[in-house]
Amino acid sequence: MERRKSIPNLLINKLLKKMRILIFLGLLFGFCFSNAQYRVSFEPNYDESKVPVFEVPDPLRTFKGRKVKNPKVWTEKRRPELLQFFTTNVYGKVPGEFKMVRWDIVEQADDAVDGKATRKQVDILFEKDNREFHFNILMYLPRSSKPSPVFLGYNFYGNHTVINDVSVIISDAWVSNNPSFGIINNQLTEQSRGVRNNRWAIEKIIDAGYGLATIYYGEIDPDKDDFSDGVHPFFYENGQDRPEFDEWGSIAAWAWGLSRAMDYFQNDEDIDASKVIVFGHSRLGKTSLWAGATDERFAGVISNNSGCGGAALSKRKFGETVARINHSFPHWFCRNFRNYNNNEEALPVDQHELIALIAPRPVYIASAEEDKWADPKGEFLSALYATPVYNLFGKKGIQSEEMPAVNQPVQNTVAYHIRSGVHDVTDYDWEQYILWADRQVLNK
Ligand code: GTR
């Protein structure tokens, strides 16, 4: 027999339904409002007199207060504890191993860059649980000097954007839309071929006897707050759908990809794997620093305008801050890094110690005068404060506490320049990197 609901019951049900809708709308409104509030209320500080007074953590003193007096104590005690801190509290740890199973040379020709270079496109393949993961490395190697030293760096919009070369394969990985490059529907097309050639001085690099190797970073992990794609899911345990609090965000995943490229270089006779310089701009400069810190096979590291979470000191809170970067890009760092949102003073480290992790290998920090958001002075100070660790190894770092003038590079094992102009990579930057690499990496 059909049971009828009584009239009061019906009314109560209706009321409950309405209340649920209201609660849902309230929560939605609260969420949007608080985010919008944050966006509206964040005022970057660009006033040097408002930079807080803070203590710079001493890279040569252990967390327990022991002074580090020689390279042995640095290498065996201090470096590991710093690396551990950055791993579990800033970038996140790689949760396991995922080894390349094969590589295929998809395309190769000797007539690139006016016949001065060999172009090589290599597909790197990984497998786990019957699923495949791939990325592509595009290389231009000087025909005049093999095995070649190489600059390795990610690009933002696909390998085919770095040069106007019809033979470069267009990636089908997800990409952020950029209508000015003809990128809509998150897909790369022919229209964007060569659009970023201004950032890659390929001819200068080849003429100087170096190769260039580049990878589209979205093939390792698409740059969006979504952990269901890219390399992360290959490491999930049953039921897991995103990394744990101390596990890798996107920057650590991108750095992992650079190390896998290095694995490949160690198998390519055309490349001198002992002379690979890892380069990156902006978020990818944060990535090159982390790759250099975690993988000692990189012979040199370049950070171009890397800013907050890269070369800039977090405790200065000048321009972009920890809270701001974690709000705008929640997927870049590990979730533990959020403990330092508006709480930089609690950090027992700062970014100069990330640079120190690269010691004694050469490192170049570059800023741009108009790139205040990335805090040029904070980037300089990081290079300066990392210097005592280089000195411990008998290497020269930054010797003057004064920031060098614009376009007046200081090129020791630790190098720094501030270029005129905006947040970008220019020929000027590449000219400096080549000069410095000649001396500091190739020992010319
Ligand atoms: C900005 C971000 C910076 C920097 C830059 C980039 O929006 O705030 O930290 O990484 O993007 O990568 O171009």
Side-chain angles (χ1 to χ4, degrees), residues 109-112 115-118 141-146 148 206:
D110 276 338
D111 60 353
K116 291 191 270 195
T118 301
L141 305 174
R143 293 177 65 193
S144 56
S145 53
K146 278 186 190 163
S148 344
I206 296 292

Side-chain angles (χ1 to χ4, degrees), residues 156 281-284 286 305-306 308 320 325 329 332 373 423:
F156 282 83
H281 169 62
S282 209
R283 67 198 70 181
L284 299 176
K286 309 180 207 298
N305 308 177
S306 64
C308 180
E320 191 171 26
I325 205 165
F329 306 101
W332 283 1
W373 181 244
H423 187 72

Side-chain angles (χ1 to χ4, degrees), residues 220-267:
I220 306 293
D221 185 29
D223 192 357
K224 54 185 159 127
D225 185 19
D226 173 356
F227 283 105
S228 68
D229 54 14
V231 72
H232 294 98
F234 286 87
F235 292 79
Y236 293 159
E237 304 286 337
N238 281 346
Q240 195 181 351
D241 62 2
R242 59 172 166 160
E244 300 295 340
F245 279 79
D246 62 349
E247 288 179 352
W248 53 348
S250 294
I251 292 176
W254 297 324
W256 172 89
L258 294 169
S259 288
R260 303 294 70 79
M262 180 53 123
D263 297 343
Y264 164 76
F265 296 152
Q266 291 184 316
N267 290 285

Side-chain angles (χ1 to χ4, degrees), residues 174-224:
W174 182 95
V175 63
S176 320
N177 285 335
N178 184 339
S180 66
F181 290 168
I183 305 170
I184 48 169
N185 302 324
N186 305 113
Q187 282 300 307
L188 290 163
T189 63
E190 199 50 55
Q191 229 182 310
S192 41
R193 191 177 294 284
V195 290
R196 271 285 163 85
N197 62 2
N198 55 310
R199 283 197 173 175
W200 300 89
I202 295 182
E203 195 158 1
K204 284 187 201 295
I205 292 172
I206 296 292
D207 287 345
Y210 294 83
L212 174 74
T214 186
I215 304 164
Y216 169 48
Y217 80 138
E219 290 195 351
I220 306 293
D221 185 29
D223 192 357
K224 54 185 159 127

Side-chain angles (χ1 to χ4, degrees), residues 279-282 285 302-306 364 366 419 424-425 429 433:
F279 156 87
H281 169 62
S282 209
I302 301 170
S303 146
N304 192 88
N305 308 177
S306 64
Y364 201 132
R419 153 180 69 67
D424 199 358
V425 194
D429 294 316
Y433 300 150

Side-chain angles (χ1 to χ4, degrees), residues 240-419:
Q240 195 181 351
D241 62 2
R242 59 172 166 160
E244 300 295 340
F245 279 79
D246 62 349
E247 288 179 352
W248 53 348
S250 294
I251 292 176
W254 297 324
W256 172 89
L258 294 169
S259 288
R260 303 294 70 79
M262 180 53 123
D263 297 343
Y264 164 76
F265 296 152
Q266 291 184 316
N267 290 285
D268 185 333
E269 287 180 351
D270 292 340
I271 288 177
D272 181 349
S274 72
K275 303 254 173 338
V276 177
I277 302 156
V278 63
F279 156 87
H281 169 62
S282 209
R283 67 198 70 181
L284 299 176
K286 309 180 207 298
T287 303
S288 62
L289 287 170
W290 185 234
T294 49
D295 191 335
E296 295 181 271
R297 294 173 298 170
F298 290 116
V301 180
I302 301 170
S303 146
N304 192 88
N305 308 177
S306 64
C308 180
L313 292 175
S314 303
K315 290 175 191 279
R316 278 173 47 82
K317 305 186 203 178
F318 189 100
E320 191 171 26
T321 63
V322 171
R324 173 58 198 234
I325 205 165
N326 280 330
H327 267 90
S328 324
F329 306 101
H331 56 295
W332 283 1
F333 298 88
C334 72
R335 281 188 277 161
N336 277 343
F337 195 37
R338 298 177 193 175
N339 295 333
Y340 301 98
N341 285 355
N342 302 311
N343 189 25
E344 286 87 344
E345 40 300 328
L347 272 167
V349 299
D350 211 331
Q351 297 303 106
H352 61 300
E353 289 166 313
L354 169 69
I355 297 170
L357 289 174
I358 297 163
R361 291 163 295 149
V363 63
Y364 201 132
I365 307 299
S367 310
E369 193 182 12
E370 291 169 46
D371 187 17
K372 301 272 184 254
W373 181 244
D375 186 13
K377 181 159 183 199
E379 296 184 314
F380 166 74
L381 289 175
S382 262
L384 175 70
Y385 298 152
T387 289
V389 179
Y390 279 82
N391 293 161
L392 196 69
F393 285 88
K395 302 278 181 189
K396 235 189 199 179
I398 305 295
Q399 289 174 299
S400 163
E401 297 198 353
E402 283 291 304
M403 240 175 121
V406 171
N407 300 331
Q408 295 293 320
V410 174
Q411 297 190 350
N412 297 319
T413 307
V414 182
Y416 177 83
H417 75 235
I418 175 164
R419 153 180 69 67

